[in-house]
Each structure stands twice: as structure tokens, then as C-alpha cells.
Amino acid sequence: MQTIRSIFHLKKIITQLKQKNKTIGFIPTMGDLHEGHCSLMRNSRRENDITILSIFVNPTQFGPKEDFTKYPREEKKDKLLAKKEKVDIIFFPTEEMLYPKDYLTYIETLNISTILCGKNRNNHFKGVTTIVGKLLNLVEPNKIYLGQKDAQQAIIVKQMIKDLNFSVTTKVCPIIREKDGLALSSRNKYLSKKDRLEASILHKALKDTKKEVLAKNIKTSKKAKAKIKSLITKFSSGKIDYIECVNTKNLENITNLNGKILIALAVKFGKARLLDNITINKK
Ligand code: PAF
């Protein structure tokens, strides 16, 4: 595995790979890698000649009161894991490299970036689309790999790729979970023992509600959301940020449960804001 720390070096290698007609799979990350990231790496390895992983804790996607400075930075551990997963190139850009002092340009996907997680996280998705756009220009991959846990992020990135004519296809890989159903996330580390135990209710609530929607032919999102809310409040002290039923492609709100529906939620347990979601295909 090659470790690259400069844009100049990266560009040189990308040019060589392109000359050799190698296909490139790309996994953008903020590090603190876990099984969720490993599944993206494995997908990329299977589907491309070369797998490139970037690690960069992107300051522009954190709000002023968020955990940017505290976000786990585990370079040694991450490198070992990426090597074990046979990543070919690991790219560690620096803040100075990506956002020099005279930096002025941002990418913003309107509307869908200010709902759900974007409602309480001002400019979060603007930071995400900006950094992903920049990394796509640097890495020039054939395929980018994202996780379904951050469903809104994946939909927004896909929209940006389409709108700005990036020549890359997106693969969204399934959520990887702990044994009790909790979706893997770097932020699970922030959970207290009690919250960690309670947090498994998120997936259980989504799963049970999906079952009921299908078995009992529940027709409205209002009912489905109420069921999820009652389970979460009954079995945990988590503070619900949102529970929404939306269109799986454009995140539009859904009131009548018909066709493909994404139920997405965000719940706060202490300092950790956890995300989860489930897709229902209702005929
Ligand atoms: O999902 C993440 O880890 C980040 O939002 C991403 C896509 C790497 C951009 O910084």
C-alpha cells in the first residue's frame, strides 16, 4: 500500500494509472475506520483494478459547536486496517492543501441539503459536497463508494455528480451493524454504557415498523412515524431530532406509504447524534 501526502504526487500516480487504463475505485473517509468502511473497501477491490482511500477530517462540514477538534484521528490504526483490506493507495491530504488561505469556492446542492440532517446542521452538506467534489477532481475515480447509513449524504452526492457532470458512478453499500443492530459509526464511541445499550432500539424500531407497515398494510407515514417514536421513547432516553418518510431518490416528503420509501431518523444520545434508516417497498 502506497501512502500519499501531496496533491502533486497523487496527480502523477493518477496520470500513470490512467495511461495504463486502470479502473479506480475511491472511498472518501474521515478516518477512524471500522467494518462499515471495510465493506466499502472490499466492494471497491472486487470491482476495480485500483482502490484509493482518502482520510481527511473535513473542517467545512462541521458546525462551530460540533466535534471537529475531538473527531478521532487514528492514522496508525487506519493504515493497518486499510493495508489488511488490500487498499492500493491511501491519501492523506492536509487542510492547507485543500483549503489554502485564499480559498473561496464551495459546492452547494440546494433544497435537499437543508432538510433532515441539514436542518439542524447548517452548511454541513455544503462542506460534504465541496470536499467530495474536490476529491473527485483529484482522484478521478471510475466509481465512488458510500455507505447507506448516511443515506441523505449519498443522495446529495449523487445529485451533485449528476448536476456537475462528474464522470463517476456511485455505489451505495448496505449498512453494517453491530450484533444488536446498532449501525456502525465512528460516533458510537461517544456513547455511555447505558446509551450504547439503549441505542439498539433505533434499528429495532425501524425493523419492527417495516414489518408492521407491510403486514398490516399501514397506509400513512404519520402512523409509521408514531410507531417508531413510541418505541424509541419507551425504550431509551434518546432525544429524537427527526423521523421522516421520504422518497428514496429525491428525499421528498411522503405522506401516503406507496412504492419505495426511505424511513430515516436521527436521535441524540448525549453527545452522539446517531443516524439510521430502512427502505420499504410497498406495493
Ligand atoms: O461520510 C464521511 O465520512 C464524510 O462525510 C465524507 C464523505 C468522507 C466527506 O468528508
Side-chain angles (χ1 to χ4, degrees):
M1 185 177 76
Q2 224 175 337
T3 302
I4 296 186
R5 295 182 190 276
S6 86
I7 289 180
F8 178 76
H9 191 186
L10 179 75
K11 279 299 205 191
K12 203 167 140 191
I13 286 175
I14 300 291
T15 307
Q16 286 165 2
L17 290 170
K18 297 276 169 194
Q19 275 164 359
K20 289 182 198 155
N21 280 328
K22 299 284 186 198
T23 59
I24 300 173
F26 174 51
I27 304 130
T29 80
M30 298 208 298
D32 197 24
L33 305 177
H34 51 65
E35 262 307 302
H37 298 110
C38 291
S39 115
L40 304 183
M41 297 179 223
R42 285 171 207 149
N43 270 279
S44 172
R45 277 219 356 112
R46 223 182 10 251
E47 297 170 0
N48 303 280
D49 298 323
I50 299 290
T51 290
I52 303 183
L53 178 118
S54 68
I55 296 189
F56 178 62
V57 185
N58 174 37
T60 62
Q61 70 188 75
F62 289 81
K65 287 187 189 139
E66 291 182 1
D67 55 343
F68 173 65
T69 51
K70 291 201 192 82
Y71 199 86
R73 286 152 171 91
E74 303 273 0
E75 184 174 323
K76 245 190 188 162
K77 209 179 104 239
D78 287 347
K79 271 176 89 173
L80 281 174
L81 195 60
K83 198 168 170 191
K84 196 172 138 237
E85 293 298 339
K86 301 195 172 65
V87 163
D88 299 285
I89 296 170
I90 188 162
F91 177 44
F92 286 101
T94 62
E95 198 173 327
E96 297 73 46
M97 235 178 248
L98 293 179
Y99 301 111
K101 279 209 172 72
D102 58 352
Y103 191 83
L104 292 175
T105 306
Y106 288 84
I107 302 173
E108 192 172 6
T109 304
L110 303 178
N111 304 337
I112 55 174
S113 63
T114 50
I115 55 171
L116 308 176
C117 287
K119 218 173 185 175
N120 287 334
R121 298 190 76 191
N122 248 343
N123 292 326
H124 166 67
F125 288 114
K126 185 174 163 188
V128 170
T129 39
T130 300
I131 194 65
V132 173
K134 283 168 71 69
L135 290 167
L136 286 176
N137 279 332
L138 293 171
V139 177
E140 297 177 58
N142 301 78
K143 235 171 172 178
I144 180 173
Y145 293 81
L146 298 167
Q148 172 65 14
K149 184 184 71 70
D150 300 302
Q152 185 179 12
Q153 168 170 281
I155 289 168
I156 290 173
V157 168
K158 271 193 198 165
Q159 181 76 38
M160 172 198 72
I161 284 171
K162 180 169 152 277
D163 289 349
L164 297 184
N165 308 97
F166 280 100
S167 295
V168 62
T169 54
T170 311
K171 179 157 181 176
V172 184
C173 301
I175 300 176
I176 306 295
R177 300 182 179 280
E178 300 278 6
K179 275 205 182 88
D180 66 356
L182 178 66
L184 292 194
S185 160
S186 301
R187 291 188 167 107
N188 292 349
K189 275 196 178 125
Y190 302 151
L191 293 168
S192 68
K193 247 189 184 160
K194 174 179 160 286
D195 288 345
R196 169 63 193 83
L197 285 171
E198 288 183 4
S200 64
I201 190 61
L202 303 185
H203 179 52
K204 194 171 172 348
L206 288 167
K207 219 173 48 176
D208 289 0
T209 304
K210 174 174 178 170
K211 233 186 197 169
E212 204 169 300
V213 164
L214 295 173
K216 296 191 183 162
N217 193 20
I218 291 178
K219 289 195 164 62
T220 66
S221 63
K222 197 172 165 194
K223 273 197 179 152
K225 290 194 286 187
K227 159 110 184 148
I228 296 169
K229 186 177 174 188
S230 77
L231 285 168
I232 294 173
T233 46
K234 186 169 175 198
F235 293 105
S236 82
S237 52
K239 287 198 176 61
I240 296 168
D241 180 354
Y242 68 79
I243 302 167
E244 296 294 351
C245 298
V246 294
N247 180 298
T248 52
K249 288 210 165 75
N250 58 19
L251 294 174
E252 258 170 33
N253 236 309
I254 283 176
T255 38
N256 295 316
L257 301 178
N258 245 325
K260 243 183 149 187
I261 306 137
L262 176 77
I263 309 185
L265 55 77
V267 177
K268 260 191 115 177
F269 288 86
K271 269 185 250 150
R273 190 169 162 283
L274 305 184
L275 305 184
D276 207 341
N277 63 74
I278 205 162
T279 307
I280 303 182
N281 206 343
K282 195 157 178 289
K283 305 230 159 69

